[in-house]
Amino acid sequence: MIGTIVPIARNNKIPFEIIGDRFISNWLAERKLAGVEYISFHTPDEHEAATSGFDHCERLANEDVLSAAAFEARKKGCDSVVWACTSASFFRGVHYARRQIQLLSESAAAPATNTSMAFLAALDALRAKRVDVVLPYSPETAKMMVSFLSEVDIGVGRVWHMKAPTSGSFFEIDCEAELAKFVSSRPFSTDPILIPCTAISSLKRVEAFEKISGRPVITANQVTVWHALVLVGLTPSILDAGSFLRSCAQTGDGAFRSPLENGE
């Protein structure tokens, strides 16, 4: 069983993919991972309009809240745990992201990761040292992500800010249209494109994203689920969810570096 801790606003009615326990369990079963159960644990996400992106991330990443959620995962018997929030895991840099992982692992008594470190593990698996980023965040939050990547010598060629719908919900962003605009606005590149934010449904859309962009596309939900599987010793055999997961299936290489290596 893999456990995912997700920040969700009170009275949330949006069918976020990352909290779709049955959906993801079925998605895994359809891809030869029928023995893996997926379960999500929800923490509060109350975003006050007047606060900065940093302050919002700091509230989301409250260590007491994360520790309590990880302990709930422990009681459920989860074999790995992941904090499924990109911005609230990269906002203080790599050292702090590793500290989050250590806290989660100790509270859950299981291997742990977070979405930002899962991105780094995926880029390490690809041996990628340069990326473009297509994201829904504010310029302030985007700068924090670029800084996070730079700490591990990942260069960022270009950052593209996706246009949010009038509702303000990242869930409703037309990622296909935004990717088309992005690739048409710059010369051809083979660098991977990162799409952070676990509010964006992507598990069944990555293949379409890559057809539009002509490049590898790595998404938050893709790496969140993948890294949780890797931490329990599973090599995902997934052939229809993007070139990254397809390359893992073809090589059968499960020997990815732990996010705790080179840590504190």
Side-chain angles (χ1 to χ4, degrees), residues 31-257:
R31 287 153 183 82
K32 303 179 183 179
L33 291 163
V36 180
E37 182 182 354
Y38 177 95
I39 183 171
S40 62
F41 303 86
H42 306 165
T43 59
D45 177 7
E46 305 301 334
H47 192 176
E48 299 172 14
T51 63
S52 69
F54 184 91
D55 290 340
H56 182 219
C57 289
E58 196 157 58
R59 285 201 307 276
L60 293 180
N62 180 285
E63 293 188 358
D64 290 338
V65 172
L66 291 184
S67 180
F71 187 72
E72 288 300 311
R74 178 178 187 169
K75 290 194 292 185
K76 288 287 187 179
C78 291
D79 299 296
S80 68
V81 175
V82 54
W83 166 228
C85 184
T86 320
S87 58
S89 53
F90 68 58
F91 76 112
R92 281 186 178 272
V94 172
H95 181 81
Y96 185 75
R98 290 187 177 123
R99 174 178 163 179
Q100 277 188 346
I101 289 172
Q102 188 68 49
L103 172 75
L104 292 169
S105 182
E106 290 173 355
S107 299
T113 188
N114 55 42
T115 300
S116 293
M117 295 304 287
F119 268 119
L120 295 190
L123 293 175
D124 183 60
L126 290 173
R127 306 294 187 262
K129 300 301 293 182
R130 186 174 177 83
V131 299
D132 287 330
V133 182
V134 176
L135 45 65
Y137 303 139
S138 67
E140 174 200 9
T141 306
K143 287 180 181 178
M144 290 189 285
M145 182 171 191
V146 171
S147 176
F148 176 85
L149 293 169
S150 71
E151 286 187 55
V152 291
D153 298 321
I154 302 294
V156 177
R158 187 171 179 187
V159 176
W160 178 270
H161 294 271
M162 293 190 280
K163 183 179 180 181
T166 53
S167 68
S169 172
F170 295 165
F171 174 79
E172 297 177 337
I173 290 176
D174 187 342
C175 294
E176 288 83 355
E178 292 295 329
L179 276 170
K181 292 176 188 176
F182 170 70
V183 296
S184 67
S185 71
R186 62 158 296 158
F188 177 75
S189 170
T190 58
D191 294 332
I193 297 173
L194 305 190
I195 302 182
C197 187
T198 54
I200 294 175
S201 295
S202 64
L203 293 178
K204 290 191 173 182
R205 300 165 72 190
V206 179
E207 293 285 344
F209 292 167
E210 295 192 335
K211 285 181 181 178
I212 292 168
S213 66
R215 299 162 59 177
V217 175
I218 306 174
T219 73
N221 291 351
Q222 181 191 44
V223 297
T224 293
V225 175
W226 165 77
H227 207 209
L229 294 170
V230 168
L231 289 179
V232 295
L234 294 174
T235 303
S237 180
I238 299 175
L239 300 176
D240 61 348
S243 58
F244 169 61
L245 291 182
R246 186 162 57 249
S247 70
C248 294
Q250 289 170 346
T251 63
D253 182 5
F256 301 113
R257 185 170 59 201

Side-chain angles (χ1 to χ4, degrees), residues 18-40:
I18 199 68
I19 60 171
D21 295 6
R22 180 177 295 180
F23 164 77
I24 294 184
S25 292
N26 289 341
W27 185 85
L28 291 169
E30 291 166 0
R31 287 153 183 82
K32 303 179 183 179
L33 291 163
V36 180
E37 182 182 354
Y38 177 95
I39 183 171
S40 62

